[in-house]
């Protein structure tokens, strides 16, 4: 048997008596045109290793396998094991890992080699997973991820936009982030309440050190925690005007107008003052 011999996804779900569970954030993509498009946007193929979070019924998994890539799929809901074992048998290139994606060690899964992450993410753990991949010890080759549209906008937002905040600064300090596809709620089974979008992120070669990232987390929390206030007020406890001047920023500016480079300079100034 090969991939083309697998039953259509709806049939596979019915055969195994499976229904979506809300507690696992399950909204399935059963249209192979959409899953194939996501696999194309991920730019993976023969010889690549892909880590997929939450394969569920395996629609995106099938599209990724069709590219020739090897897929390591991490699924928390054990009910999908038999269905996914059929996909593994048909392709010969799928490894199924049953567990929580927040707890897995990606370096170990990829056996020390490079790996791309592609996922139609469960909404409840999407942001913590993104932060893990962007700031944790393991660096992905690329990330192609489906989020709620509102979260996708917050990742890719430019300074001055209402969606610009902590998530944009951390995502863009660590990666190049681009919104590459809008997906309407009706494309999912069952449809969620809101639309979604796919974001592609490629980690920067000059990713900030853990110390700089820690400093940025503190500074962005304070600055965007009071986003309507001027920096000299919101950053008062962290160094106030001298710190802001050391970073070459205007103390009267508001957080939403400070670009990623500005926050990096603030982080460096904050670290220099602590060690100096
Ligand atoms: N990839 C499938 C698709 O596109 O049709 C399913 C996507 S659905 C939005 C999210 C999937 O992630 C579900 O299969 C769910 O069981 C799984 N999941 C939820 N939380 C998880 C976690 N912490 N670790 C791994 N998988 C998880």
């Amino acid at each position: 048997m090969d991939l083309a011999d697998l039953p259509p996804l709806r049939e596979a779900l019915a055969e195994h008596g499976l229904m979506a569970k809300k507690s696992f954030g399950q909204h399935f993509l059963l249209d192979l045109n959409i899953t194939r498009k996501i696999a194309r946007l991920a730019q993976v193929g023969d010889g690549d290793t892909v880590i997929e979070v939450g394969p569920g019924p395996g629609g995106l998994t099938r599209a990724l396998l069709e590219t020739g890539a090897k897929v390591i799929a991490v699924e928390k809901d054990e009910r999908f094991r038999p269905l996914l074992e059929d996909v593994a048998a048909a392709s010969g290139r799928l490894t199924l890992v049953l567990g929580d994606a927040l707890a897995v060690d990606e370096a170990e899964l990829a056996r020390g080699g490079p790996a791309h992450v592609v996922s139609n993410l469960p909404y409840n753990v999407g942001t913590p997973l993104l932060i893990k991949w962007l700031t944790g010890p393991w660096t992905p080759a690329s990330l192609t991820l489906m989020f709620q549209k509102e979260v996708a906008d917050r990742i890719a937002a430019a300074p001055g936009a209402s969606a610009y905040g902590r998530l944009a600064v951390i995502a863009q300090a660590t990666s190049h982030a681009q919104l590459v596809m809008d997906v309407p709620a009706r494309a999912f089974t069952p449809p969620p309440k809101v639309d979604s979008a796919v974001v592609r992120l490629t980690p920067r070669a000059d990713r900030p050190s853990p110390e700089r990232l820690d400093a940025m987390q503190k500074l962005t929390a304070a600055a965007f925690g009071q986003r309507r206030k001027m920096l000299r007020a919101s950053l008062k406890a962290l160094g106030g005007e001298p710190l802001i001047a050391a970073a070459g920023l205007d103390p009267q500016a508001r957080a939403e107008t400070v670009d990623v480079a500005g926050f990096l300079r603030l982080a460096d100034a904050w670290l220099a003052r602590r060690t100096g």
Side-chain angles (χ1 to χ4, degrees):
M1 183 156 98
D2 71 21
L3 279 173
D5 301 322
L6 286 168
L9 288 163
R10 279 179 202 282
E11 238 172 71
L13 280 167
E15 236 171 57
H16 291 275
L18 290 165
M19 303 266 282
K21 254 195 197 168
K22 218 174 170 180
S23 58
F24 284 106
Q26 292 175 350
H27 298 282
F28 304 138
L29 287 171
L30 303 180
D31 179 344
L32 283 180
N33 293 315
I34 295 182
T35 52
R36 284 182 180 138
K37 184 160 178 201
I38 297 170
R40 272 200 305 281
L41 289 168
Q43 299 174 36
V44 295
D46 226 348
D48 286 329
T49 299
V50 174
I51 297 178
E52 186 198 1
V53 169
L60 183 55
T61 320
R62 292 188 194 190
L64 290 166
L65 289 165
E66 280 174 5
T67 70
K70 182 173 159 269
V71 178
I72 301 161
V74 184
E75 175 56 65
K76 197 172 169 185
D77 186 347
E78 300 224 0
R79 297 178 307 147
F80 287 98
R81 182 206 290 265
L83 184 155
L84 290 166
E85 279 174 350
D86 290 347
V87 182
S91 74
R93 276 178 283 107
L94 171 63
T95 307
L96 178 61
V97 177
L98 286 166
D100 183 346
L102 281 167
V104 297
D105 176 344
E106 291 84 356
E108 195 181 305
L109 290 187
R111 297 179 180 218
H116 302 260
V117 177
V118 184
S119 175
N120 172 16
L121 286 171
Y123 289 155
N124 46 347
V125 287
T127 311
L129 281 170
L130 177 66
I131 297 295
K132 177 189 182 196
W133 294 322
L134 291 178
T135 67
W138 178 74
T139 308
S142 72
L143 300 159
T144 306
L145 307 171
M146 177 90 74
F147 289 96
Q148 288 162 272
K149 173 88 169 92
E150 175 261 328
V151 178
D153 285 341
R154 286 202 283 122
I155 293 168
S162 60
Y164 184 71
R166 292 189 72 191
L167 194 55
V169 175
I170 299 300
Q172 296 171 33
T174 50
S175 71
H176 299 278
Q178 207 186 352
L179 203 157
V180 291
M181 181 185 179
D182 283 315
V183 184
R186 64 171 185 281
F188 299 85
T189 307
K193 288 200 179 71
V194 293
D195 292 338
S196 292
V198 177
V199 181
R200 187 154 198 283
L201 306 106
T202 46
R204 290 180 182 275
D206 59 348
R207 197 162 91 152
S209 65
E211 294 73 33
R212 283 177 100 197
L213 283 173
D214 262 3
M216 278 183 100
Q217 297 269 24
K218 280 193 188 71
L219 288 155
T220 53
F224 287 104
Q226 301 180 294
R227 61 187 289 142
R228 299 268 158 253
K229 288 205 174 158
M230 294 177 192
L231 291 179
R232 70 167 179 230
S234 58
L235 296 182
K236 197 163 191 170
L238 289 170
E241 295 213 21
L243 172 82
I244 300 162
L249 295 171
D250 175 1
Q252 299 199 32
R254 289 178 171 76
E256 61 205 26
T257 65
V258 178
D259 62 11
V260 174
F263 277 107
L264 276 167
R265 292 199 305 277
L266 265 179
D268 291 339
W270 188 77
L271 288 169
R273 285 162 59 87
R274 284 195 37 193
T275 52

